[in-house]
């Protein structure tokens, strides 16, 4: 079947072909958590205003051009930002999980799975948020394997404090960060580690992750080797 015929068979039942309907935008998550701090829930709800009032974030509204951002992209960035809030460590404003083994950043696929968005649409929304200065992304860590290939580890993503200020949460954010730090200190004591250790992420953690990956790979190769009678 030709490409032209495939196009003719596409049906638009309202909205556009990516499933977006500007009159009925999907601004919630596919898999929202039940234990998100109330503060982050309030922030997520406030950010939904961006769909109908894009001028509240001029840098995001014009992240790609001088024209107003299209409604399907506004829908996507709202879903994406809410997925980021699902896993935001309030104390450091980084996306990930503090643990006794260090700070564990998350892959984009983990965040994207919380949304209704296709992976490519999700990635474009992340890029828009980055261009607008709402999120910062550190350099991605990588480890070179013995055969010359690379194993990549998640980059660290951080939400900008100016984002909270633009929504009217600037002063409250500092209070919430202080409270979150106190909670983390108590968690560190329970797990017999330090707050510094829980918040660290660097090549040490990446090397440990690579070592585990290599051991699992070797074990899998041993299991797949044919048995000789």
């Amino acid at each position: 079947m030709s490409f032209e015929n495939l196009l003719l068979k596409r049906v638009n039942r309202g909205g556009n072909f990516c499933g977006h309907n500007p009159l009925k935008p999907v601004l919630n998550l596919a898999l929202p958590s039940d234990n998100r701090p109330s503060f982050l829930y309030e922030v997520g709800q406030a950010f939904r205003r961006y769909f109908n009032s894009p001028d509240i974030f001029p840098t995001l509204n014009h992240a790609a051009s001088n024209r107003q951002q299209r409604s399907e992209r506004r829908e996507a960035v709202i879903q994406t930002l809410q997925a980021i809030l699902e896993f935001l460590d309030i104390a450091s404003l980084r996306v990930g999980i503090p643990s006794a083994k260090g700070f564990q950043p998350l892959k984009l696929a983990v965040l994207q799975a919380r949304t209704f968005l296709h992976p490519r649409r999700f990635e474009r929304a992340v890029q828009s948020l980055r261009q607008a200065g709402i999120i910062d992304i550190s350099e991605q860590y990588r480890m070179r394997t013995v055969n010359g290939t690379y194993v990549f580890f998640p980059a660290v993503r951080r939400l900008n404090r100016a984002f909270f200020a633009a929504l009217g949460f600037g002063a409250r954010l500092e209070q919430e960060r202080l409270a979150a730090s106190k909670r983390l200190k108590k968690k560190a004591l329970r797990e017999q580690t330090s707050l510094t250790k829980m918040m660290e992420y660097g090549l040490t953690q990446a090397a440990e992750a690579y070592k585990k990956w290599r051991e699992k790979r070797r074990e899998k190769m041993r299991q797949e080797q044919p048995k000789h009678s």
Side-chain angles (χ1 to χ4, degrees), residues 40 80-98 103-112 114 122 126 129 134-138 154-160 164 199 201:
L40 295 182
T80 299
L81 198 282
Q82 291 199 85
I84 288 173
L85 292 174
E86 287 283 296
F87 297 99
L88 187 72
D89 169 53
I90 301 177
S92 65
L93 298 185
R94 293 181 298 178
V95 183
I97 304 171
F103 189 82
Q104 307 297 316
L106 301 174
K107 294 181 179 179
L108 281 180
V110 175
L111 304 179
Q112 180 266 324
R114 293 276 179 165
F122 180 83
V126 170
L129 290 168
I134 291 177
I135 61 172
D136 297 319
I137 304 178
S138 71
V156 178
R157 296 166 179 85
R158 187 190 303 269
L159 205 53
N160 198 312
F164 295 90
M199 302 305 288
Y201 177 71

Side-chain angles (χ1 to χ4, degrees), residues 212-226:
K212 291 180 180 179
W213 171 85
R214 185 177 59 184
E215 290 174 350
K216 289 182 179 179
R217 182 171 180 272
R218 287 176 175 174
E219 179 60 27
K220 183 178 180 180
M221 291 176 66
R222 283 196 294 267
Q223 293 176 356
E224 292 176 350
Q225 287 180 350

Side-chain angles (χ1 to χ4, degrees), residues 11-214:
V11 178
N12 189 332
R13 304 185 185 281
N16 63 19
F17 290 110
C18 72
H20 168 68
N21 186 336
L23 299 179
K24 297 180 180 179
V26 179
L27 306 180
N28 57 306
L29 292 176
L31 295 172
S33 65
D34 297 327
N35 59 350
R36 182 199 295 185
S38 60
F39 170 65
L40 295 182
Y41 178 80
E42 292 176 39
V43 172
Q45 290 293 102
F47 186 59
R48 292 187 183 197
R49 301 201 317 263
Y50 176 70
F51 186 81
N52 292 317
S53 304
D55 287 337
I56 64 175
F57 281 100
T59 57
L60 180 58
N61 188 26
H62 303 290
S65 69
N66 292 327
R67 294 186 299 174
Q68 178 170 293
Q69 192 176 64
R70 294 170 64 89
S71 62
E72 59 260 39
R73 183 63 62 88
R74 298 202 301 273
E75 177 187 64
V77 296
I78 290 173
Q79 283 193 50
T80 299
L81 198 282
Q82 291 199 85
I84 288 173
L85 292 174
E86 287 283 296
F87 297 99
L88 187 72
D89 169 53
I90 301 177
S92 65
L93 298 185
R94 293 181 298 178
V95 183
I97 304 171
S99 72
K101 296 182 179 180
F103 189 82
Q104 307 297 316
L106 301 174
K107 294 181 179 179
L108 281 180
V110 175
L111 304 179
Q112 180 266 324
R114 293 276 179 165
T115 72
F116 291 100
L117 305 173
H118 184 276
R120 288 295 300 130
R121 193 175 172 209
F122 180 83
E123 291 173 7
R124 288 193 290 268
V126 170
Q127 184 62 22
S128 293
L129 290 168
R130 185 179 188 181
Q131 290 174 340
I134 291 177
I135 61 172
D136 297 319
I137 304 178
S138 71
E139 183 178 355
Q140 188 178 41
Y141 291 113
R142 66 180 185 177
M143 297 290 294
R144 189 169 185 173
T145 65
V146 291
N147 60 3
T149 60
Y150 287 94
V151 177
F152 291 89
F153 301 92
V156 178
R157 296 166 179 85
R158 187 190 303 269
L159 205 53
N160 198 312
R161 284 188 292 182
F163 165 76
F164 295 90
L167 291 175
F169 292 97
R172 186 175 168 190
L173 172 64
E174 300 309 315
Q175 299 173 0
E176 295 290 342
R177 292 187 70 186
L178 181 61
S181 294
K182 291 180 179 179
R183 290 194 298 269
L184 280 176
K185 287 180 180 178
K186 292 181 180 179
K187 181 179 178 179
L189 287 174
R190 290 196 303 269
E191 299 190 9
Q192 298 181 338
T193 186
S194 67
L195 180 60
T196 301
K197 173 65 176 177
M198 291 184 68
M199 302 305 288
E200 281 182 346
Y201 177 71
L203 290 176
T204 301
Q205 283 75 25
E208 291 177 356
Y210 169 63
K211 183 178 179 181
K212 291 180 180 179
W213 171 85
R214 185 177 59 184

